[in-house]
């Protein structure tokens, strides 16, 4: 493939690609993001290839494996072009029917369509409520592109922004545009990217470096992963534009080793971009040289912190250092180094392409553009969602997420990953915006959003995150290492029903010191889960400590299962399902749980028929004395409640 | 080097550019507690005891005095309320993990901490890292290093390097505020002791 030597060459290549492609030709696109991959999307893709061959359609139909579409709840997602018919939860066995009905007859397979509340079927992806309320400007192209094909990216106008920059914009003009757009860092801090770029550009010292932070480590968050897997060229294009503006000739992508598909697709993208002359020496004939190296991280959450990440790139242990001189001025090997997150870089080409005014027209006063969130937890539609800044949490959870499953009551949403905080129902109208989320004691973070319902215990939630952080703290500074450890110990004993009076206050006291005294942002934000749960759910902590009661019925040491002898119909279900044989009784005999044997797994409650409702979960009250063995059941008569 | 003047606890202090707040304060006879600082080593800012409060314009903030460089006209409080509150908690936390270490006991006494509210789980090493950094920065040998993360962090001799280097050096031993490094080394050097027949 001859290298592209100018912007004109790139446009000619694009036209050439488009001319080769017939927009009317059917194309089966199969989501091959991590979620769908886990559902078996590769088997679906292979089934399509085999069936299309069998039906003699090989010359008439294309197959494309795309990046993540976002609606991971309903994978594997298959979209058939040109009609854009969207099939959900496609299994390999559905493939012959899709081919027969849609590709041969041109009809729709009704049963694989999205079904709305009123049993109405929806054909197009964009009309599904999950997608309808989103603004997928950064994440959207994923579903049209084969991440391993640079032609797919170019066909959709990819690298046009880079060509525009290299053929007619000065680095200063690029900087001015990004500053004007007020793009804020998507990795968590929300620092204005343009200002950071300018600092690095103006800092003394050569060479300068640009870095992609793809060390996404928050439990339950995978937006950076899906972007890097699904559309690696958009990240590379943004990075190259940034390098030009900053004056860097070397870039790094720090990506987790645990993201093998991202590494694979990224390396493929790098190779193609080099072949096309979009990386390397004299990019698009402009005289600008830039290349990128991939650095695979070894699985430390703290390495996402800028100074730790740069130390790791240098080949040393990824531990943060105190930085009164910012990494933008003194980063990798003491050279000016500009670090931005995957999503931030992927947003850059859009700003150049469509202009700062277009970008800053989206969002709120202080937070422009869109943000990708990974919407997970107790919500009907889990997946990746991209919304305009300023959308309220309520809209995200209810309009896009489809509300809470099983008719349960919403309790709180945890944003910002392990260092974020929980936001209670009373603040559910808070808009997603860097500053507004900080105000309510949480943060944007990199975009994790975990929805919780009435069955989530807030003390347990705080404990979960502290446990994560205690394992991920690097351990060099005292407040983070010892403070998190002691907070976790207190949370553990509160959950175990051994909370002491004064524990809540002690937690707050430690939390404040850890927040104020820690060396890096991991420690400084680590107390957020504790402080925010105490702030909004103090009564729940008090119930644990003072009444030995877990209101949500989660903490095992504080709950007991009990069979109401008046309601038990001796159906034997719980008795048979108890994994530790803690239930005695028999035919016609009231079932009784041996509290000493019970491991509180809840299997009995789950299997007890709702019409009996005999098994109950108790917390904070003593278990009533068991009936004597051999007591016969009181049969319900017909119609009796 | 140009001279700078700053105010530390309402005293005027003159120092040279490039000096840390900690060094400036100590040379003026104002003591700031530290556990991980040593004049021969690059400051690490790990123990956090040396945090002080600085005022710039209207804004007050906490900085690590061993790393933060003196600036002209800077106002510094080394014993302000937030600073003392933090030091007390840090010492209380360290008393739980290393109750027997004299350096910690002395500082605890200075800040009126007599007992820790946390369960005592005694360990000898306080993870100040002086030995590790000395071996790396001054000797360039890396015979000793940190392994593990968080509360599992430990200082370990790397046997192949240590066997070669430590017998002729031992310069980190006097730096150790707890004595655990020379003790561990001595244990490993016990006569008639061999790992050969131990199944680990």
């Amino acid at each position: 493939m001859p290298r592209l030597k100018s912007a004109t060459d790139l446009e000619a290549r694009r036209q050439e690609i488009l001319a080769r492609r017939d927009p009317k030709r059917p194309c089966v696109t199969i989501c091959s993001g991590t979620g769908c991959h886990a559902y078996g999307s590769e088997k679906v893709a292979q089934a399509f290839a085999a069936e299309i061959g069998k039906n003699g359609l090989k010359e008439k139909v294309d197959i494309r494996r795309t990046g993540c579409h976002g609606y991971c709840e309903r994978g594997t997602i298959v979209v058939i072009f040109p009609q854009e018919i969207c099939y959900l939860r496609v299994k390999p066995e559905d493939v012959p029917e899709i081919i027969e009905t849609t590709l041969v007859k041109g009809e729709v397979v009704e049963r694989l369509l999205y079904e709305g509340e009123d049993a109405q079927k929806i054909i197009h992806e964009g009309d599904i409520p999950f997608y309808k309320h989103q603004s997928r400007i950064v994440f959207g192209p994923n579903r049209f592109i084969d991440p391993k094909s640079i032609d797919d990216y170019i066909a959709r106008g990819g690298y046009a922004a880079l060509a525009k920059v290299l053929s007619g914009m000065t680095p200063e003009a690029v900087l001015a545009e990004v500053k004007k757009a007020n793009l804020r860092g998507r990795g968590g801090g929300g620092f204005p990217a343009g200002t950071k770029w300018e600092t690095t550009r103006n800092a003394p010292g050569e060479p300068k470096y640009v870095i992609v932070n793809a060390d996404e480590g928050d439990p339950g968050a995978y937006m950076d992963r899906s972007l890097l897997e699904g559309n690696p060229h958009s990240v590379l294009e943004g990075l190259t534009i940034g390098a030009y503006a900053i004056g860097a000739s070397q870039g790094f992508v720090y990506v987790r080793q645990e993201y093998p598909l991202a590494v694979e697709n990224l390396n493929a993208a790098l190779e193609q971009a080099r072949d096309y002359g979009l990386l390397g020496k004299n990019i698009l004939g402009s005289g600008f040289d830039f290349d990128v190296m991939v650095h695979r991280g070894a699985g430390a959450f703290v390495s996402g912190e800028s100074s730790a990440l740069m130390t790791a790139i240098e080949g040393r242990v990824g531990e943060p250092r105190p930085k009164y001189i910012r990494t933008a001025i003194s980063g990798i090997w003491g050279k000016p180094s500009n670090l931005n997150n995957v999503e931030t870089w992927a947003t850059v080409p859009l700003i150049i392409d469509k202009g700062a005014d277009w970008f800053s027209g989206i969002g709120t006063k202080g937070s422009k553009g869109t943000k990708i969130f990974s919407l997970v937890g107790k919500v009907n539609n889990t997946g990746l969602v991209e919304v305009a800044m300023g959308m309220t949490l309520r809209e995200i959870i209810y309009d896009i997420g489809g509300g809470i499953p099983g008719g349960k009551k919403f309790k709180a949403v945890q944003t910002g990953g392990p260092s974020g905080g929980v936001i209670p129902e009373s603040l559910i109208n808070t808009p997603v915006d860097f500053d507004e989320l900080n105000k309510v004691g949480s943060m944007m973070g990199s975009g994790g959003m975990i929805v919780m319902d009435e069955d989530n215990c807030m003390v347990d939630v705080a404990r979960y995150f502290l446990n994560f952080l205690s394992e991920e703290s690097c351990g060099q500074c005292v407040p983070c290492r010892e403070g998190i450890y002691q907070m976790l110990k207190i949370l553990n004993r509160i959950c175990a029903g051994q909370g002491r009076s004064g524990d809540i206050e002690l937690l707050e006291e430690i939390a404040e010191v850890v927040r104020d005294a820690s060396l890096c942002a991991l420690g400084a934000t680590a107390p957020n889960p504790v402080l925010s749960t105490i702030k909004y759910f103090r009564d729940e902590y008090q119930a644990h400590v003072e009444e030995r009661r877990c209101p949500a019925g989660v903490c095992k040491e504080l709950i007991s299962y009990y069979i109401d002898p008046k309601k038990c119909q001796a159906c034997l279900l719980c008795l048979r399902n108890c994994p530790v044989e803690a239930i005695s009784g028999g035919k016609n005999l009231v079932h009784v749980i041996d509290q000493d044997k019970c491991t509180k797994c809840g299997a009995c409650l789950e299997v007890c028929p709702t019409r009996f409702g005999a098994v109950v979960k108790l917390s904070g009250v003593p278990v009533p004395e068991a009936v004597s063995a051999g007591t016969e059941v009181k049969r319900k008569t017909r119609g009796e409640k | 080097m140009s001279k700078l003047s700053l105010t530390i606890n309402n005293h005027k202090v003159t120092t040279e550019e490039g000096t840390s707040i900690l060094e400036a304060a100590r040379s003026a006879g104002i003591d700031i507690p530290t556990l991980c600082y040593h004049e021969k080593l690059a400051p690490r800012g790990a123990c956090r005891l040396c945090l002080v409060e600085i005022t710039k314009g209207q804004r007050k903030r906490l900085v690590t005095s061993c790393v933060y460089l003196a600036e002209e006209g800077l106002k510094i409080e080394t014993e302000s309320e937030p600073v003392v509150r933090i030091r007390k908690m840090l010492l209380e936390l360290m008393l739980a993990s290393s109750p027997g270490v004299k350096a910690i006991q002395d500082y605890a006494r200075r800040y009126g901490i007599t007992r820790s509210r946390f369960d005592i789980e005694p360990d000898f090493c306080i993870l100040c890292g002086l030995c590790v950094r000395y071996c790396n920065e001054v000797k360039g040998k890396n015979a000793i290093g940190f392994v593990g993360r968080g509360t599992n962090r430990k200082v370990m001799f790397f046997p192949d390097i240590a066997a070669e280097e430590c017998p002729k050096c031992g310069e980190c031993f006097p730096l150790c505020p707890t004595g655990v490094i020379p003790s561990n080394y001595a244990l490993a050097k016990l006569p008639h002791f061999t790992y050969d027949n131990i199944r680990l």
Side-chain angles (χ1 to χ4, degrees), chain B residues 125-145:
Chain B
C125 177
I126 61 168
L127 301 166
C128 67
L130 289 178
C131 53
V132 175
R133 283 150 58 213
Y134 187 86
C135 194
N136 170 276
E137 292 175 28
V138 178
K139 305 299 288 184
K141 297 297 183 195
N142 299 308
I144 189 165

Side-chain angles (χ1 to χ4, degrees), chain A residues 145-383:
Chain A
I145 292 172
D146 175 351
K148 290 203 171 65
S149 160
I150 190 170
D151 283 356
D152 277 8
Y153 185 65
I154 291 174
R156 293 189 51 84
Y159 285 108
L162 177 66
K164 181 177 169 184
V165 162
L166 293 182
S167 62
M169 285 175 85
T170 60
E172 290 80 5
V174 177
L175 255 180
E177 197 68 13
V178 175
K179 277 180 86 172
K180 193 175 158 203
N182 195 10
L183 170 64
R184 296 176 66 172
R186 265 56 177 154
F191 192 81
T195 310
K196 197 162 158 186
W197 290 18
E198 194 171 41
T199 309
T200 307
R201 178 176 169 77
N202 296 336
E206 293 289 339
K208 300 183 197 303
Y209 299 109
V210 286
I211 312 147
V212 181
N213 188 347
D215 190 46
E216 180 178 58
D218 299 2
Y222 59 115
M223 45 276 148
D224 290 347
R225 170 184 204 159
S226 294
L227 203 48
L228 204 56
E229 284 173 357
N231 197 352
H233 285 289
S234 67
V235 181
L236 290 180
E237 186 182 2
L239 183 69
T240 313
I241 293 170
Y244 174 75
I246 289 165
S249 57
Q250 176 68 55
F252 293 95
V253 182
Y254 188 97
V255 56
R256 311 184 72 200
Q257 173 71 31
E258 294 89 332
Y259 285 180
L261 186 59
V263 175
E264 185 184 319
N265 289 357
L266 178 65
N267 277 324
L270 285 171
E271 212 158 288
Q272 290 171 344
R274 284 187 198 115
D275 281 352
Y276 274 54
L278 294 162
L279 273 182
K281 297 272 176 214
N282 195 16
I283 296 171
L284 289 175
S286 65
F288 173 61
D289 304 336
F290 178 68
D291 212 331
V292 178
M293 220 181 96
V294 176
H295 185 103
R296 285 175 296 178
F301 180 69
V302 72
S303 290
E305 197 274 344
S306 62
S307 64
L309 184 145
M310 294 188 195
T311 313
I313 288 181
E314 290 172 1
R316 296 186 282 140
V317 179
E319 284 175 358
R321 51 191 165 79
K323 36 174 188 185
Y324 294 112
I325 302 170
R326 269 176 271 146
T327 50
I329 295 169
S330 173
I332 302 179
W333 294 296
K335 303 295 179 193
S337 307
N338 182 91
L339 176 77
N340 282 120
N341 145 285
V342 170
E343 196 183 334
T344 315
W345 288 117
T347 310
V348 170
L350 291 168
I351 292 172
I352 298 297
D353 212 22
K354 302 190 176 180
D357 292 332
W358 167 81
F359 184 77
S360 57
I362 308 167
T364 62
K365 191 162 170 283
S367 307
K368 301 297 185 192
T370 59
K371 178 77 193 83
I372 308 175
F373 290 96
S374 78
L375 184 62
V376 297
K378 305 282 184 63
V379 62
N380 277 312
N381 303 328
T382 56

Side-chain angles (χ1 to χ4, degrees), chain A residues 627-640:
Chain A
V627 293
S628 50
T631 308
E632 290 205 9
V633 296
K634 180 179 172 288
R635 285 268 177 236
K636 265 188 186 177
T637 48
R638 216 171 271 276
E640 187 191 342

